[in-house]
Amino acid sequence: MINRIKGTQDLLDLTLFNFLIESVKKQLALYNFHEIATPIIEPTDLFKRSLGTETDVVNKEMYTVNTGADQELICLRPEATAATMRAFIEAGIQTIPWKVFSWGPMFRHERPQKGRYRQFHQVSLEVIGSDSIYQDIQVITLLERLFCDILKLDEYALHINFLGCAQDRIVFKKLLYDYLTTLTQLCDTCIIRKEKNILRVFDCKVKTCQELYADAPKITQSLCATCLSEWQTIKQSLEHLSVSYSHVPTLVRGLDYYEKTVFEFVGLQLGAQNAFCGGGRYNQLATIVGSKQDYPSVGAALGIDRLVLLLEQKKDGLLIPQKPPLYIIAPFSKEQFDIALLLADELQAQNICVDVLLEGASFKSMLRHANKAGARACLIIGPDEQKAREVTVKNMITGAEEKVSQRDVAIFLKA
Ligand code: AMP
């Protein structure tokens, strides 16, 4: 027996998964985003440069492959934003803002647990080439409307913080460094992060560290005039649009390319892995990835697997498209298989969903099968029906039977 790789999933019923992807696609189309797809493999360097070397993703979680002769390191993508920016620059897109989304599997070598997988799925949306802070507001609002109005989620919260511009962070990092220097109980990782990439201390999961950081200086108190005004605008506009949020001063997000706006939607019933969507502004990413010109941008990633976990508790209230009614053709024996396949072919050509039982099972077990499969009716073809060019249509709900000419079955079923 060969089992699936730790941290991966076999998705054997995609009803909710597909409903989710379709709902997100519809919502994004309403806001004029268009769909793109980028490769699952990318140069490792793309993520090393953009996500930051002291981030968990780059430090410990990348699936990297050495391709041999040319020594080029490639990896399974851990996220989609850097790849979307690479694609934008590589294609020389001129029309901005470029509003796009993509979806698919991402790979991170994390410790698996409920809601955390090594292969997981994200929808990633990006507005590339706009420094208007109102784009951030619109991205947050479209997500809020999706989660609340369309997916009918209720027990969740929107957390927001504002990381300022590069200059603000220089000032803030100095204040934070001085504050951390006064503390004596930092964990070993935070001691390293304090020296190498100080904002990452806020990602620390150690409880004692988190308690200490509650009293740390807040970055929103170190903003320049422009950033302060943008931060006020975000808060006011979200209030105008009736989007509820909480300001969480320690929210920095796990990837280095974010600045100014950062946000996360967290499910209150999801346990330890509670963020089901996160995003923010990334004004420097284009130049980090190799563009000669700055393209300020904003985006978000939805964690599909965690959203599916949330929707499982809600599925009765959702408008999940119904499957078409199923009809099962039950030929008595091999002699009727040809006519059964011919009838199926005609019905399927008319968009009627049909399955044919071709295993030579007994009549009783064919009816049992049709019942289990939730068929609306069973189309029985025995020697008598074959001779008379008819089928017996057995209604699986009422049990009523009716003989119908083979020529008229489609009209009969549609009626
Ligand atoms: P990130 O790309 O880290 O900003 O994450 C965006 C969203 O992707 C998170 O809010 C999660 O919902 C989801 N996500 C990230 N990592 C994982 C994982 N290992 N397993 C499942 N979902 C994940």
Side-chain angles (χ1 to χ4, degrees), residues 11 55 122 143 151 155 171 181 213 229 244 255 259 300 368:
L11 306 173
T55 56
Q122 285 183 342
L143 292 166
L151 302 179
E155 296 189 33
V171 176
T181 307
Y213 302 150
S229 149
S244 322
L255 314 172
E259 64 171 44
R368 213 178 304 126

mmCIF file with all atom_site columns, all heavy atoms in Angstrom, residues 11 55 122 143 151 155 171 181 213 229 244 255 259 300 368:
data_model
loop_
_atom_site.group_PDB
_atom_site.id
_atom_site.type_symbol
_atom_site.label_atom_id
_atom_site.label_alt_id
_atom_site.label_comp_id
_atom_site.label_asym_id
_atom_site.label_entity_id
_atom_site.label_seq_id
_atom_site.pdbx_PDB_ins_code
_atom_site.Cartn_x
_atom_site.Cartn_y
_atom_site.Cartn_z
_atom_site.occupancy
_atom_site.B_iso_or_equiv
_atom_site.pdbx_formal_charge
_atom_site.auth_seq_id
_atom_site.auth_comp_id
_atom_site.auth_asym_id
_atom_site.auth_atom_id
_atom_site.pdbx_PDB_model_num
ATOM 1   N N   . LEU A 1 11  ? -8.955  15.016 -2.610 1.00 0.00 ? 11  LEU A N   1
ATOM 2   C CA  . LEU A 1 11  ? -10.256 15.701 -2.580 1.00 0.00 ? 11  LEU A CA  1
ATOM 3   C C   . LEU A 1 11  ? -11.243 14.850 -3.373 1.00 0.00 ? 11  LEU A C   1
ATOM 4   O O   . LEU A 1 11  ? -11.242 14.877 -4.597 1.00 0.00 ? 11  LEU A O   1
ATOM 5   C CB  . LEU A 1 11  ? -10.131 17.108 -3.175 1.00 0.00 ? 11  LEU A CB  1
ATOM 6   C CG  . LEU A 1 11  ? -9.044  17.990 -2.531 1.00 0.00 ? 11  LEU A CG  1
ATOM 7   C CD1 . LEU A 1 11  ? -8.881  19.293 -3.283 1.00 0.00 ? 11  LEU A CD1 1
ATOM 8   C CD2 . LEU A 1 11  ? -9.388  18.265 -1.066 1.00 0.00 ? 11  LEU A CD2 1
ATOM 9   N N   . THR A 1 55  ? 12.013  34.959 6.449  1.00 0.00 ? 55  THR A N   1
ATOM 10  C CA  . THR A 1 55  ? 10.623  34.505 6.596  1.00 0.00 ? 55  THR A CA  1
ATOM 11  C C   . THR A 1 55  ? 10.617  32.984 6.696  1.00 0.00 ? 55  THR A C   1
ATOM 12  O O   . THR A 1 55  ? 11.499  32.316 6.158  1.00 0.00 ? 55  THR A O   1
ATOM 13  C CB  . THR A 1 55  ? 9.777   34.929 5.378  1.00 0.00 ? 55  THR A CB  1
ATOM 14  O OG1 . THR A 1 55  ? 10.401  34.425 4.205  1.00 0.00 ? 55  THR A OG1 1
ATOM 15  C CG2 . THR A 1 55  ? 9.663   36.429 5.278  1.00 0.00 ? 55  THR A CG2 1
ATOM 16  N N   . GLN A 1 122 ? -4.974  28.275 -3.139 1.00 0.00 ? 122 GLN A N   1
ATOM 17  C CA  . GLN A 1 122 ? -5.294  29.698 -2.944 1.00 0.00 ? 122 GLN A CA  1
ATOM 18  C C   . GLN A 1 122 ? -5.916  30.271 -4.210 1.00 0.00 ? 122 GLN A C   1
ATOM 19  O O   . GLN A 1 122 ? -5.580  29.855 -5.320 1.00 0.00 ? 122 GLN A O   1
ATOM 20  C CB  . GLN A 1 122 ? -4.016  30.509 -2.694 1.00 0.00 ? 122 GLN A CB  1
ATOM 21  C CG  . GLN A 1 122 ? -3.409  30.347 -1.327 1.00 0.00 ? 122 GLN A CG  1
ATOM 22  C CD  . GLN A 1 122 ? -2.181  31.249 -1.129 1.00 0.00 ? 122 GLN A CD  1
ATOM 23  O OE1 . GLN A 1 122 ? -1.596  31.743 -2.089 1.00 0.00 ? 122 GLN A OE1 1
ATOM 24  N NE2 . GLN A 1 122 ? -1.808  31.452 0.114  1.00 0.00 ? 122 GLN A NE2 1
ATOM 25  N N   . LEU A 1 143 ? -13.885 41.503 -0.769 1.00 0.00 ? 143 LEU A N   1
ATOM 26  C CA  . LEU A 1 143 ? -13.709 40.264 0.001  1.00 0.00 ? 143 LEU A CA  1
ATOM 27  C C   . LEU A 1 143 ? -14.778 40.163 1.093  1.00 0.00 ? 143 LEU A C   1
ATOM 28  O O   . LEU A 1 143 ? -15.390 39.118 1.290  1.00 0.00 ? 143 LEU A O   1
ATOM 29  C CB  . LEU A 1 143 ? -12.307 40.230 0.627  1.00 0.00 ? 143 LEU A CB  1
ATOM 30  C CG  . LEU A 1 143 ? -11.159 40.090 -0.391 1.00 0.00 ? 143 LEU A CG  1
ATOM 31  C CD1 . LEU A 1 143 ? -9.823  40.404 0.249  1.00 0.00 ? 143 LEU A CD1 1
ATOM 32  C CD2 . LEU A 1 143 ? -11.154 38.693 -1.008 1.00 0.00 ? 143 LEU A CD2 1
ATOM 33  N N   . LEU A 1 151 ? -21.024 33.920 0.594  1.00 0.00 ? 151 LEU A N   1
ATOM 34  C CA  . LEU A 1 151 ? -20.687 32.648 1.264  1.00 0.00 ? 151 LEU A CA  1
ATOM 35  C C   . LEU A 1 151 ? -21.377 32.523 2.626  1.00 0.00 ? 151 LEU A C   1
ATOM 36  O O   . LEU A 1 151 ? -21.290 31.473 3.272  1.00 0.00 ? 151 LEU A O   1
ATOM 37  C CB  . LEU A 1 151 ? -19.171 32.503 1.409  1.00 0.00 ? 151 LEU A CB  1
ATOM 38  C CG  . LEU A 1 151 ? -18.397 32.555 0.079  1.00 0.00 ? 151 LEU A CG  1
ATOM 39  C CD1 . LEU A 1 151 ? -16.902 32.439 0.314  1.00 0.00 ? 151 LEU A CD1 1
ATOM 40  C CD2 . LEU A 1 151 ? -18.861 31.448 -0.869 1.00 0.00 ? 151 LEU A CD2 1
ATOM 41  N N   . GLU A 1 155 ? -19.146 33.904 11.707 1.00 0.00 ? 155 GLU A N   1
ATOM 42  C CA  . GLU A 1 155 ? -18.239 34.082 12.839 1.00 0.00 ? 155 GLU A CA  1
ATOM 43  C C   . GLU A 1 155 ? -16.796 34.297 12.381 1.00 0.00 ? 155 GLU A C   1
ATOM 44  O O   . GLU A 1 155 ? -15.985 33.389 12.402 1.00 0.00 ? 155 GLU A O   1
ATOM 45  C CB  . GLU A 1 155 ? -18.365 32.878 13.755 1.00 0.00 ? 155 GLU A CB  1
ATOM 46  C CG  . GLU A 1 155 ? -19.768 32.825 14.326 1.00 0.00 ? 155 GLU A CG  1
ATOM 47  C CD  . GLU A 1 155 ? -19.914 31.801 15.413 1.00 0.00 ? 155 GLU A CD  1
ATOM 48  O OE1 . GLU A 1 155 ? -18.959 31.569 16.156 1.00 0.00 ? 155 GLU A OE1 1
ATOM 49  O OE2 . GLU A 1 155 ? -21.003 31.237 15.491 1.00 0.00 ? 155 GLU A OE2 1
ATOM 50  N N   . VAL A 1 171 ? 12.241  54.280 11.048 1.00 0.00 ? 171 VAL A N   1
ATOM 51  C CA  . VAL A 1 171 ? 12.032  54.937 12.345 1.00 0.00 ? 171 VAL A CA  1
ATOM 52  C C   . VAL A 1 171 ? 11.458  53.932 13.347 1.00 0.00 ? 171 VAL A C   1
ATOM 53  O O   . VAL A 1 171 ? 11.934  53.806 14.484 1.00 0.00 ? 171 VAL A O   1
ATOM 54  C CB  . VAL A 1 171 ? 11.047  56.134 12.178 1.00 0.00 ? 171 VAL A CB  1
ATOM 55  C CG1 . VAL A 1 171 ? 10.738  56.783 13.520 1.00 0.00 ? 171 VAL A CG1 1
ATOM 56  C CG2 . VAL A 1 171 ? 11.599  57.139 11.182 1.00 0.00 ? 171 VAL A CG2 1
ATOM 57  N N   . THR A 1 181 ? 15.335  45.489 23.338 1.00 0.00 ? 181 THR A N   1
ATOM 58  C CA  . THR A 1 181 ? 16.583  45.432 24.115 1.00 0.00 ? 181 THR A CA  1
ATOM 59  C C   . THR A 1 181 ? 16.298  45.477 25.618 1.00 0.00 ? 181 THR A C   1
ATOM 60  O O   . THR A 1 181 ? 17.055  44.964 26.423 1.00 0.00 ? 181 THR A O   1
ATOM 61  C CB  . THR A 1 181 ? 17.509  46.591 23.683 1.00 0.00 ? 181 THR A CB  1
ATOM 62  O OG1 . THR A 1 181 ? 17.635  46.526 22.263 1.00 0.00 ? 181 THR A OG1 1
ATOM 63  C CG2 . THR A 1 181 ? 18.893  46.494 24.292 1.00 0.00 ? 181 THR A CG2 1
ATOM 64  N N   . TYR A 1 213 ? 4.900   41.502 23.362 1.00 0.00 ? 213 TYR A N   1
ATOM 65  C CA  . TYR A 1 213 ? 4.716   42.406 22.215 1.00 0.00 ? 213 TYR A CA  1
ATOM 66  C C   . TYR A 1 213 ? 3.427   43.218 22.299 1.00 0.00 ? 213 TYR A C   1
ATOM 67  O O   . TYR A 1 213 ? 3.255   44.183 21.565 1.00 0.00 ? 213 TYR A O   1
ATOM 68  C CB  . TYR A 1 213 ? 4.795   41.631 20.892 1.00 0.00 ? 213 TYR A CB  1
ATOM 69  C CG  . TYR A 1 213 ? 6.117   40.899 20.725 1.00 0.00 ? 213 TYR A CG  1
ATOM 70  C CD1 . TYR A 1 213 ? 6.209   39.728 20.011 1.00 0.00 ? 213 TYR A CD1 1
ATOM 71  C CD2 . TYR A 1 213 ? 7.267   41.401 21.330 1.00 0.00 ? 213 TYR A CD2 1
ATOM 72  C CE1 . TYR A 1 213 ? 7.419   39.054 19.890 1.00 0.00 ? 213 TYR A CE1 1
ATOM 73  C CE2 . TYR A 1 213 ? 8.480   40.731 21.227 1.00 0.00 ? 213 TYR A CE2 1
ATOM 74  C CZ  . TYR A 1 213 ? 8.550   39.567 20.515 1.00 0.00 ? 213 TYR A CZ  1
ATOM 75  O OH  . TYR A 1 213 ? 9.749   38.910 20.416 1.00 0.00 ? 213 TYR A OH  1
ATOM 76  N N   . SER A 1 229 ? -2.300  60.035 6.790  1.00 0.00 ? 229 SER A N   1
ATOM 77  C CA  . SER A 1 229 ? -3.537  60.430 6.110  1.00 0.00 ? 229 SER A CA  1
ATOM 78  C C   . SER A 1 229 ? -4.153  59.214 5.379  1.00 0.00 ? 229 SER A C   1
ATOM 79  O O   . SER A 1 229 ? -5.376  59.024 5.390  1.00 0.00 ? 229 SER A O   1
ATOM 80  C CB  . SER A 1 229 ? -3.212  61.590 5.175  1.00 0.00 ? 229 SER A CB  1
ATOM 81  O OG  . SER A 1 229 ? -4.028  61.562 4.068  1.00 0.00 ? 229 SER A OG  1
ATOM 82  N N   . SER A 1 244 ? -16.886 46.191 8.984  1.00 0.00 ? 244 SER A N   1
ATOM 83  C CA  . SER A 1 244 ? -16.347 46.199 10.355 1.00 0.00 ? 244 SER A CA  1
ATOM 84  C C   . SER A 1 244 ? -14.934 45.624 10.358 1.00 0.00 ? 244 SER A C   1
ATOM 85  O O   . SER A 1 244 ? -14.658 44.664 9.639  1.00 0.00 ? 244 SER A O   1
ATOM 86  C CB  . SER A 1 244 ? -17.170 45.324 11.296 1.00 0.00 ? 244 SER A CB  1
ATOM 87  O OG  . SER A 1 244 ? -18.507 45.436 11.010 1.00 0.00 ? 244 SER A OG  1
ATOM 88  N N   . LEU A 1 255 ? 5.138   37.660 5.147  1.00 0.00 ? 255 LEU A N   1
ATOM 89  C CA  . LEU A 1 255 ? 6.007   37.843 3.978  1.00 0.00 ? 255 LEU A CA  1
ATOM 90  C C   . LEU A 1 255 ? 6.539   39.274 3.942  1.00 0.00 ? 255 LEU A C   1
ATOM 91  O O   . LEU A 1 255 ? 5.818   40.212 4.264  1.00 0.00 ? 255 LEU A O   1
ATOM 92  C CB  . LEU A 1 255 ? 5.212   37.538 2.694  1.00 0.00 ? 255 LEU A CB  1
ATOM 93  C CG  . LEU A 1 255 ? 4.362   36.256 2.736  1.00 0.00 ? 255 LEU A CG  1
ATOM 94  C CD1 . LEU A 1 255 ? 3.481   36.143 1.505  1.00 0.00 ? 255 LEU A CD1 1
ATOM 95  C CD2 . LEU A 1 255 ? 5.244   35.027 2.856  1.00 0.00 ? 255 LEU A CD2 1
ATOM 96  N N   . GLU A 1 259 ? 3.835   46.423 2.574  1.00 0.00 ? 259 GLU A N   1
ATOM 97  C CA  . GLU A 1 259 ? 3.994   47.704 3.261  1.00 0.00 ? 259 GLU A CA  1
ATOM 98  C C   . GLU A 1 259 ? 2.631   48.394 3.286  1.00 0.00 ? 259 GLU A C   1
ATOM 99  O O   . GLU A 1 259 ? 1.676   47.909 2.679  1.00 0.00 ? 259 GLU A O   1
ATOM 100 C CB  . GLU A 1 259 ? 5.060   48.572 2.604  1.00 0.00 ? 259 GLU A CB  1
ATOM 101 C CG  . GLU A 1 259 ? 4.773   49.008 1.182  1.00 0.00 ? 259 GLU A CG  1
ATOM 102 C CD  . GLU A 1 259 ? 5.807   50.030 0.734  1.00 0.00 ? 259 GLU A CD  1
ATOM 103 O OE1 . GLU A 1 259 ? 6.991   49.815 1.011  1.00 0.00 ? 259 GLU A OE1 1
ATOM 104 O OE2 . GLU A 1 259 ? 5.421   51.034 0.133  1.00 0.00 ? 259 GLU A OE2 1
ATOM 105 N N   . ALA A 1 300 ? -4.474  40.090 -2.475 1.00 0.00 ? 300 ALA A N   1
ATOM 106 C CA  . ALA A 1 300 ? -4.891  39.223 -1.370 1.00 0.00 ? 300 ALA A CA  1
ATOM 107 C C   . ALA A 1 300 ? -4.877  37.779 -1.826 1.00 0.00 ? 300 ALA A C   1
ATOM 108 O O   . ALA A 1 300 ? -4.957  37.496 -3.024 1.00 0.00 ? 300 ALA A O   1
ATOM 109 C CB  . ALA A 1 300 ? -6.299  39.597 -0.911 1.00 0.00 ? 300 ALA A CB  1
ATOM 110 N N   . ARG A 1 368 ? -31.476 -1.504 -6.968 1.00 0.00 ? 368 ARG A N   1
ATOM 111 C CA  . ARG A 1 368 ? -30.826 -1.034 -5.732 1.00 0.00 ? 368 ARG A CA  1
ATOM 112 C C   . ARG A 1 368 ? -29.755 0.009  -6.079 1.00 0.00 ? 368 ARG A C   1
ATOM 113 O O   . ARG A 1 368 ? -29.655 1.063  -5.439 1.00 0.00 ? 368 ARG A O   1
ATOM 114 C CB  . ARG A 1 368 ? -30.206 -2.225 -4.998 1.00 0.00 ? 368 ARG A CB  1
ATOM 115 C CG  . ARG A 1 368 ? -30.258 -2.044 -3.492 1.00 0.00 ? 368 ARG A CG  1
ATOM 116 C CD  . ARG A 1 368 ? -29.687 -3.220 -2.712 1.00 0.00 ? 368 ARG A CD  1
ATOM 117 N NE  . ARG A 1 368 ? -30.310 -4.492 -3.034 1.00 0.00 ? 368 ARG A NE  1
ATOM 118 C CZ  . ARG A 1 368 ? -29.641 -5.589 -3.415 1.00 0.00 ? 368 ARG A CZ  1
ATOM 119 N NH1 . ARG A 1 368 ? -28.332 -5.564 -3.538 1.00 0.00 ? 368 ARG A NH1 1
ATOM 120 N NH2 . ARG A 1 368 ? -30.266 -6.719 -3.682 1.00 0.00 ? 368 ARG A NH2 1
#
